[in-house]
Every structure is written in structure tokens, then in C-alpha cells.
Amino acid sequence: MQNIIEITDFSAPELDIYARMTEGQLLNRHEPEKGLFIAESPKVVERALDAGCRPVSLLLERKHIEGEARDVVARCGDIPIYIADFDVLTQLTGFQLTRGVLCAMHRPPLPSPEEVCAGSRRIAVLENIMNPTNIGAIFRSAAALGMDAVLLTPDCSDPLYRRAIRVSMGTVFQIPWTFLGNEDCPWPSQGMELLKNMGFRTAAMALKDDSVSIDDPRLMSEEKLAIVLGSEGDGLAASTIADCDYTVRIPMSHGVDSLNVAAASAVAFWQLGARADMQYRIASLK
């Protein structure tokens, strides 16, 4: 039975999740088992549900109950469903909702890097990428272009921030990921060692004199490869580059020296992920 609740009181504490809690408060680092995230739009919510994420409540534009969110509402059971007209929701949340649907969900527990990378041939490693828009775009490219998993260093923006989820179109729920590097396994020293122990050769995307071109046959032929990308401003740390097996650049023209990290990731994932995988499959048939 649907538990539909008309919004009449903006100050109601049950609406804090949508209107007043920051991303940091939702994350709840001190009690991660109580952490929450917000998924936006019916398609994204459905992908989160497909991945096993548990809903807490829904916030809907009234017309979507029997419209675009009908399937989502049916799948979420008897959780509270808060409804109002579009203008009221915009006033409550401070932004215009994508397709008029928000869903608060429990954060799933994070797996270990070993669990995430089990059976993987191509993975992305993101170092200190703090812009959630870039994180979301990288995940979308990773899912579409042959990456089997994504690992993030602790200073990266969280993939379950609302904007990152939205930009990724929910692919953060379709590709395995976790954080790499902590007090017991600091990045890059021991984190890089962990990658190598799992059988990965490592390729740092960086502009260096000794960089090889992204179409270098040695890269394409690696059985297991980790593509390491850094922040747009500072790039990869010198120690990270030094620890990698390859330093790789994307050839440029018209005097352009580099791409935005999200754009660079798409080029790298196509060349070293999707295209390399096609060549691997063709070779295995011979």
C-alpha cells in the first residue's frame, strides 16, 4: 500500500534529507553504516534499485506518481512518498528536480579493492579528482568504454554525491568501485603495490618527456592494465607517475597541451579499454 504524504510543513524533520542536510552529513563518516545518498530521476533510481540499494523515502512532483515515476513507486513498497507541485518542490530543495523525482537511499557498504578488481582486465584509478561533475562523467565513460572497475583515492569526490550520480546517469551503480588507500595501505606507495600484487601493470596519464603515445602496442597488449588519472589542475603526483610502469599521453594538435580529465578519460578508456578488449577477443579466437 502506498504511503503518500502531502507536503504541508517545510520544516518537518523528515524532509531534512532533501532540504537541509549537506552531502557531508548524508555521508556520515563517523557512522558510515547510517550513511545516505540521494538519487535523482526515475532512471537513476531504478539503476540504484537494480544494484540492491535500499530506499528510505521518495520526494516526487505530484504528477509523476502515475507518470514517469510509477514503476519506481511500485518497486519501493510502503516507504514514505512525499509529494507536492513542482514550484513547491523547487522552493523546498532550492533547485529544479530532474524529472521531479528524488529518492533517499541507504549507502551500501564498500567492498575491498580485491573484491572490486576480481576478474578485471581493465580498471581506472582516480587520484584526488575532487569535482563531482568530473567524477560522474568519468564513471559514465568507464561503464560505456570497457572499464571493469574504478578505484578512487581518499581525496576524490564521493561517487554517491547527488551531482556525481546525476552526471553519471546512474552508472555509479553499474560498475564496481571502491576507495583505494587508507592508513593501513597509503596511496601511492602501498596502494600501487597492491595493484601490482593483483597483476596489474599501471599507466599514468601525464605529460612527460618520456610519455608513450596512447596507441603504443605495448599498452594494447597488456593482459591487465590500470589507467591512472589525476586532477585537472595538478595532475598526478610525481611519486605516482614514478611508481607507474608507463607514462602515457594523448596526442594533441593546434597547440593544445591537454584535455579536461573527464574528456581524457573517455579517450583513454576507448583506446585502452573497449578497443583493446576487441583486439584481445579477436586474438583469442585465432
Side-chain angles (χ1 to χ4, degrees), residues 63-216:
K63 69 179 183 180
H64 289 315
I65 294 179
E66 295 297 332
E68 293 190 49
R70 181 168 54 185
D71 292 341
V72 166
V73 169
R75 292 183 62 180
C76 286
D78 61 355
I79 63 171
I81 301 172
Y82 302 103
I83 66 167
D85 293 327
F86 180 82
D87 291 343
V88 174
L89 294 183
T90 300
Q91 184 180 352
L92 173 68
T93 62
F95 57 88
Q96 293 187 355
L97 276 64
T98 302
R99 300 190 178 237
V101 178
L102 293 179
C103 184
M105 310 186 92
H106 294 284
R107 294 180 67 92
L110 286 177
S112 69
E114 293 88 347
E115 291 172 317
V116 164
C117 294
S120 297
R121 293 188 62 250
R122 293 291 187 269
I123 65 171
V125 180
L126 311 184
E127 180 184 86
N128 301 345
I129 298 177
M130 292 174 280
N131 185 316
T133 299
N134 282 337
I135 291 289
I138 291 169
F139 264 85
R140 189 171 183 179
S141 293
L145 298 172
M147 294 296 104
D148 300 310
V150 178
L151 300 177
L152 306 96
T153 64
D155 286 337
C156 283
S157 178
D158 194 287
L160 293 186
Y161 281 174
R162 186 183 65 85
R163 184 164 183 79
I165 295 172
R166 185 177 69 184
V167 172
S168 82
M169 287 298 294
T171 54
V172 295
F173 305 113
Q174 295 180 303
I175 184 167
W177 64 271
T178 196
F179 283 95
L180 173 68
N182 52 38
E183 293 181 358
D184 298 323
C185 184
W187 176 266
S189 55
Q190 293 183 34
M192 194 70 72
E193 190 65 27
L194 177 62
L195 291 174
K196 295 181 179 181
N197 289 341
M198 291 190 290
F200 287 97
R201 300 275 281 176
T202 49
M205 301 300 298
L207 301 173
K208 303 288 286 185
D209 292 338
D210 59 350
S211 295
V212 301
S213 177
I214 196 170
D215 60 357
D216 190 296

Side-chain angles (χ1 to χ4, degrees), residues 24-41:
Q25 289 171 322
L26 290 170
L27 178 59
N28 198 352
R29 293 184 185 275
H30 298 296
E31 295 182 281
E33 69 280 359
K34 297 180 181 179
L36 303 169
F37 68 89
I38 305 293
E40 183 178 354
S41 87

